[in-house]
Amino acid sequence: MRVLVVEDDPLLCDVLRDFLRELGHEPVVTHCAEDALTSMGLELPDAVLLDIYLPGISGLDFLQLQTTRESRIPIVAISGMAAESQARECVQLGAVDFLPKPVELERLREVLTCLEPHAGRPSPSAHRNERRRAPRAAVAVPVRVVENGGTEWEATSVDLSTVGVKLRSSRAVNPGRAAKLSFALPDGDGALEVSAMLVRSDGRGYAFDFVSPTDDQLGRLREFVQRGGAGPARAVEAHFRVLRAISRALSLSLDVDQMLRIALDALTRVTGHEISSLHLLSDDRRTLRLLADRGLSAELRMANRVLAVGQGVIGRVVVTGETVHVTNVAASAELPPAERAVVEREGIRGFVCVPLQSRGRILGVLSLARRTSEPFSDVEIALLEAAANQISLALDNARLYSETRSQLDELKQTETQRAEGERLSTIGKLMAGLVHEINNPLTVILGQAELVMTELADSTRGRERVRIILQETSRAARLLQRVLQLGRPQPSERRPCALEDQVQWVLEAKRHELDRAGIRVVTEFSPIPSVYADQDQLRQVLFNLVQNAHQAMAKHPGPRVLTLRTTEADGRVRVEVRDTGPGIPPELLPRVFDAFFTTKPAGEGTGLGLWMSYSIVEQHQGRLGCESRPDGGATFVVELPYRKGPS
Ligand code: ADP
C-alpha cells in the first residue's frame, strides 16, 4: 500500500518509514501539510499517516480541507497529546483512526490491515467513484459493533450500500477504531460479519466503510441494496404504509379535522408506542394551539393546549424552522418540572418535532414521542418530515379553498345585490312612468268631478255619487304619490346616530296626537351604542311604527300604553315598539309586511308603511320583526348592527 506520512519530526519520519517498509508498504514522507497536498496531487496514496501538530496548516485543518475530504483517502491521525477529546475531534473531522505517540508497530499493522484493499479491490480513485455512485437502501436493522480494542456497542443502521453502512446508536459512543460489524440482513440468509472502518461521524450518525468484504458478502449486500431494501424490511414497509395512509386521507377530504385525525393515527402505528400531536400557529404568530393529538394523556394535553412561541422544544421549532430530536425528553432542560414527572411516569423517551411549513411560512409543529428506549432513527425522522410536508400542503390547500370559497360567496352576493339593485331600479322607473301616466287622467277625472259637483247643487243623490268618485280618485292619487316617492332613489346619508334620539324625535312629533288619544307613553332606555345609519330613514321607520300603534289603540277599548324600549345584545341594538291595541290575528301576521296590505278603512291606510320600513331596516343590515302578544297588543322590533361603520 502506498502510505503518505505527514510528520514534521525527521527522526519520527525515519521510524515510520522503517515501520511501513517492515510491514510491506510503500512510504512517501512529507514534513508539512502543504507538501502532502502537492504529493497527493501527483499521485493518490492508499492511506495517510497524519501528525496533528504541524508547522503551517495543522493536521486538524488538513482534515477539514475540501480536497482532503473529497479524496476520501483513509487518514490515520497521530499525536503525542493522546487525549480522548482530541481523538474524538479528529474522528469527527474525518480521520478513520487515531494513534497515540509513541506509535506501536503492532497497532500500526492492525490499523493498516483494515485499510488494505483486498484482492480484486479497485484502485483508490475507482473505489472513490464507486462510493459516490453506490446506491443506498434505507433500512433499520440492529448492528453489533466490536471495536478492535474490544469495546462493544449496539447500533441501528440508517442506510446500507455495498461499500458501507451508516449507523446510529442510542448510547454515547466514541468510535474511532477499526471494527467488526455484525448484522442480519432481512434476506433470511443469516448474519453478516464484516470488517469496517469509521470514515465519518456527525450529529446524525457514524458512517463505516466495509473493509475487504468477501465475494459472498458483497453479493448479498448488492442483491439486498438492488431490491432497495425491500422485501422483508418491515420498518421501511411500515413507513410506506403510513405515508400512503396520510396521502390518501389528504387527497380524499378537505375537512382539516378529519385528515389530521387520520394522519396522526397513521403516525402512531409505526411501532404502536407513539404519541403524536399537532400544534398550529395563531394568527398573531405568538402562540401555538393544540389542534389534534393521538395518545396524549389528559395531563399532557392540558399542559400542551397552548404554547408560547420560542418556549420549550415545540416553541423553539417555530423560531428555528428546524427539526428537533430529543433522545430522552425527561432529561431535557426545556421541560417544565410539572411535565417532567408525567413524562417519566408515562415512560416517554424519544421526542421529535418537525416544523409544518408551506411557501416559506411556518404553519405549526408536528410532534412524535415514543414510549420505548429506542430512539427515532433517521428514516423515522425522514418519515415524520415527509408527513409534515404532506400535512402542510393539505392545510394550505384547505385554507386556500376556504378563502376562495368565501371570495366566491362574496362575489355571488355582490352579484345578487347588483342584480337586485338593477331590478329595483327598473321597477322604480316603470312605476314612476306608470304613476305619471295614471296621474294625468286622475287629475282630469278629479277636475271634471269637482265641476260636476258644483253643477249638481240640487241633486243630493247625484252629489253623493260624485263625492264617492272624488274620494276614491283622491285616494288613488295619494297612493300613487306614495309609490312615486318610493320609486325615487333616496340618497342615503349614513352617519353615527343614537337610536334613543330618533325615538325622542318621533315621540315629540306625535306628542299632541298621542295625548289627544289618551295614550300613555313609557320609555325604557338602556345605554346602547350608536348605529351607523341614515337618520331620516330611521325616523321614518319609527314614525310608521308609532303611527300604527297609535291607530291600533285609538279604536281599542282598555288602557292605552305605548312602550318604547332600547336594548343591546350580540352586536345589535334593538328598539321595541309595544302597544296595548288589539294585536294582529295570527293568520294576518305573515302578510303585514306585504306591499298594499292594509286592514284600515279606505282613506286611512295604504298598506305601504310596514313594507317600506322593512326595506329600510334591511338596507341597514338589520331586521324588522313583529309579534302579537297573547295578552293583546302588538310588538314591533327593529334590530340594527352597531359595528358597521364607513369602510
Ligand atoms: P297601513 O298602516 O297603511 O295599513 P302598514 O304597512 O303600516 O300599512 O300596516 C299594514 C297592516 O298591519 C295594518 O293595516 C294593520 O292591519 C297591521 N298593523 C300594523 N301595525 C299594527 C299594530 N300596531 N297593531 C295592529 N295591527 C297592526
Side-chain angles (χ1 to χ4, degrees):
M1 234 177 18
R2 191 179 154 85
V3 181
L4 176 67
V5 177
V6 195
E7 169 58 68
D8 61 330
D9 184 333
L11 288 176
L12 187 57
C13 280
D14 289 342
V15 173
L16 287 172
R17 186 185 289 120
D18 290 345
F19 266 7
L20 288 167
R21 285 204 179 121
E22 176 75 30
L23 294 171
H25 299 300
E26 181 197 339
V28 179
V29 176
T30 55
H31 300 295
C32 63
E34 288 82 343
D35 286 353
L37 286 169
T38 314
S39 165
M40 281 164 67
L42 295 172
E43 190 179 352
L44 281 175
D46 294 296
V48 177
L49 290 182
L50 174 73
D51 186 14
I52 294 303
Y53 295 100
L54 290 169
I57 300 174
S58 79
L60 292 177
D61 291 338
F62 180 83
L63 281 168
Q64 294 173 71
L65 292 174
Q66 201 176 348
T67 337
T68 317
R69 285 175 163 272
E70 278 175 5
S71 76
R72 295 186 62 124
I73 296 165
I75 300 173
V76 179
I78 43 178
S79 168
M81 311 281 284
E84 193 74 348
S85 58
Q86 193 177 53
R88 199 176 310 131
E89 193 180 2
C90 290
V91 171
Q92 273 166 359
L93 292 175
V96 295
D97 210 342
F98 182 89
L99 291 179
K101 287 180 186 172
V103 178
E104 291 169 22
L105 180 63
E106 201 41 49
R107 183 87 179 85
L108 184 64
R109 183 209 307 272
E110 229 180 353
V111 171
L112 291 178
T113 307
C114 290
L115 301 179
E116 220 165 331
H118 65 92
R121 186 174 170 156
S123 69
S125 56
H127 182 61
R128 271 203 317 280
N129 289 338
E130 187 193 320
R131 278 170 201 278
R132 282 199 198 122
R133 275 202 313 268
R136 292 175 178 275
V139 60
V141 292
V143 179
R144 176 130 205 93
V145 183
V146 183
E147 291 181 4
N148 266 357
T151 316
E152 297 189 15
W153 44 284
E154 295 288 340
T156 307
S157 66
V158 175
D159 57 37
L160 185 71
S161 73
T162 49
V163 292
V165 62
K166 187 166 183 189
L167 301 179
R168 287 175 75 87
S169 173
S170 52
R171 288 179 23 202
V173 286
N174 176 28
R177 294 165 182 83
K180 273 233 153 39
L181 309 182
S182 316
F183 53 95
L185 283 182
D187 56 5
D189 281 354
L192 268 181
E193 205 173 83
V194 204
S195 296
M197 247 2 236
L198 182 79
V199 289
R200 209 173 45 258
S201 82
D202 55 33
R204 296 169 79 85
Y206 308 100
F208 280 87
D209 271 2
F210 299 133
V211 177
S212 315
T214 64
D215 289 343
D216 177 49
Q217 289 173 329
L218 260 179
R220 279 180 65 191
L221 284 168
R222 192 169 295 124
E223 205 186 319
F224 177 71
V225 173
Q226 272 167 2
R227 285 204 315 263
R234 288 211 316 272
V236 174
E237 221 181 55
H239 295 166
F240 282 134
R241 269 204 309 276
V242 170
L243 275 182
R244 217 175 28 233
I246 294 176
S247 55
R248 270 196 56 196
L250 303 185
S251 63
L252 284 178
S253 164
L254 271 166
D255 175 348
V256 176
D257 288 346
Q258 190 193 352
M259 67 196 188
L260 289 183
R261 232 183 9 256
I262 297 174
L264 294 188
D265 206 46
L267 278 171
T268 51
R269 289 203 187 145
V270 178
T271 66
H273 295 283
E274 286 85 5
I275 300 165
S276 56
S277 67
L278 190 138
H279 285 84
L280 273 198
L281 205 52
S282 59
D283 286 344
D284 63 7
R285 308 187 72 76
R286 287 197 188 153
T287 50
L288 283 157
R289 207 166 41 81
L290 181 67
L291 195 72
D293 73 87
R294 166 85 198 187
L296 265 188
S297 64
E299 276 164 295
L300 284 180
R301 185 175 301 127
M302 202 50 207
N304 284 282
R305 223 163 36 88
V306 181
L307 302 171
V309 165
Q311 273 176 11
V313 180
I314 296 178
R316 176 150 55 93
V317 170
V318 177
V319 179
T320 61
E322 301 277 338
T323 296
V324 175
H325 177 204
V326 183
T327 42
N328 184 4
V329 69
S332 162
E334 285 170 295
L335 196 69
E339 271 184 67
R340 191 183 313 279
V342 187
V343 165
E344 271 170 0
R345 199 168 57 239
E346 295 187 11
I348 299 169
R349 298 288 299 268
F351 185 42
V352 191
C353 302
V354 298
L356 293 169
Q357 42 193 330
S358 173
R359 290 180 287 169
R361 260 171 83 84
I362 306 257
L363 309 174
V365 179
L366 176 66
S367 315
L368 200 62
R370 190 180 267 173
R371 288 200 198 87
T372 59
S373 55
E374 193 60 30
F376 285 99
S377 67
D378 274 5
V379 181
E380 284 164 336
I381 294 173
L383 163 76
L384 196 64
E385 285 172 342
N389 281 345
Q390 288 193 346
I391 293 173
S392 306
L393 216 75
L395 283 173
D396 216 31
N397 278 347
R399 190 181 54 77
L400 276 178
Y401 174 75
S402 82
E403 267 175 21
T404 314
R405 237 200 118 137
S406 61
Q407 275 167 5
L408 263 177
D409 285 351
E410 239 170 62
L411 209 71
K412 239 185 191 160
Q413 209 182 334
T414 320
E415 179 59 24
T416 316
Q417 278 171 358
R418 198 183 58 78
E420 181 70 3
E422 269 175 15
R423 197 174 66 84
L424 284 177
S425 110
T426 313
I427 292 173
K429 280 180 203 151
L430 271 176
M431 268 165 54
L434 192 68
V435 169
H436 181 75
E437 291 304 313
I438 297 176
N439 250 337
N440 286 349
L442 277 181
T443 317
V444 176
I445 296 170
L446 270 173
Q448 293 298 329
E450 271 172 26
L451 286 174
V452 173
M453 185 82 128
T454 51
E455 287 164 12
L456 287 176
D458 39 351
S459 163
T460 335
R461 279 188 64 195
R463 280 181 70 88
E464 180 53 20
R465 286 208 172 102
V466 175
R467 199 192 59 76
I468 292 171
I469 291 174
L470 275 171
Q471 178 192 299
E472 289 306 296
T473 316
S474 305
R475 192 166 98 86
R478 269 208 316 279
L479 240 167
L480 284 177
Q481 277 311 314
R482 197 76 190 267
V483 169
L484 194 60
Q485 276 169 15
L486 294 176
R488 248 181 236 135
Q490 305 259 331
S492 176
E493 255 189 63
R494 295 200 188 177
R495 53 172 180 264
C497 57
L499 270 178
E500 206 177 291
D501 292 350
Q502 314 320 315
V503 172
Q504 294 288 23
W505 184 90
V506 172
L507 289 178
E508 195 49 41
K510 289 278 296 174
R511 193 150 58 92
H512 291 301
E513 284 182 83
L514 294 172
D515 282 352
R516 249 201 332 265
I519 295 172
R520 185 162 68 87
V521 178
V522 177
T523 50
E524 294 172 12
F525 295 146
S526 52
I528 54 167
S530 50
V531 290
Y532 189 72
D534 183 306
Q535 178 180 278
D536 290 338
Q537 290 184 340
L538 278 192
R539 286 180 178 175
Q540 208 176 332
V541 171
L542 293 169
F543 192 92
N544 278 336
L545 299 180
V546 170
Q547 171 94 333
N548 280 347
H550 165 211
Q551 289 176 341
M553 287 189 286
K555 293 181 190 138
H556 190 64
R560 293 175 179 173
V561 185
L562 171 68
T563 311
L564 286 124
R565 208 165 151 243
T566 60
T567 50
E568 182 219 329
D570 303 328
R572 291 178 163 247
V573 288
R574 286 162 58 100
V575 186
E576 266 177 47
V577 182
R578 167 198 291 238
D579 63 53
T580 52
I584 302 166
E587 66 278 11
L588 297 186
L589 259 182
R591 299 178 57 199
V592 290
F593 295 108
D594 289 353
F596 305 113
F597 173 78
T598 181
T599 54
K600 291 174 191 168
E604 197 177 311
T606 57
L608 288 171
L610 286 180
W611 178 73
M612 194 178 57
S613 301
Y614 191 92
S615 83
I616 289 176
V617 175
E618 203 178 36
Q619 278 162 25
H620 284 77
Q621 286 80 46
R623 278 195 298 253
L624 175 59
C626 136
E627 62 182 53
S628 193
R629 299 190 315 277
D631 61 329
T635 305
F636 282 80
V637 182
V638 182
E639 267 188 19
L640 291 166
Y642 61 78
R643 268 189 236 107
K644 298 264 182 236
S647 48

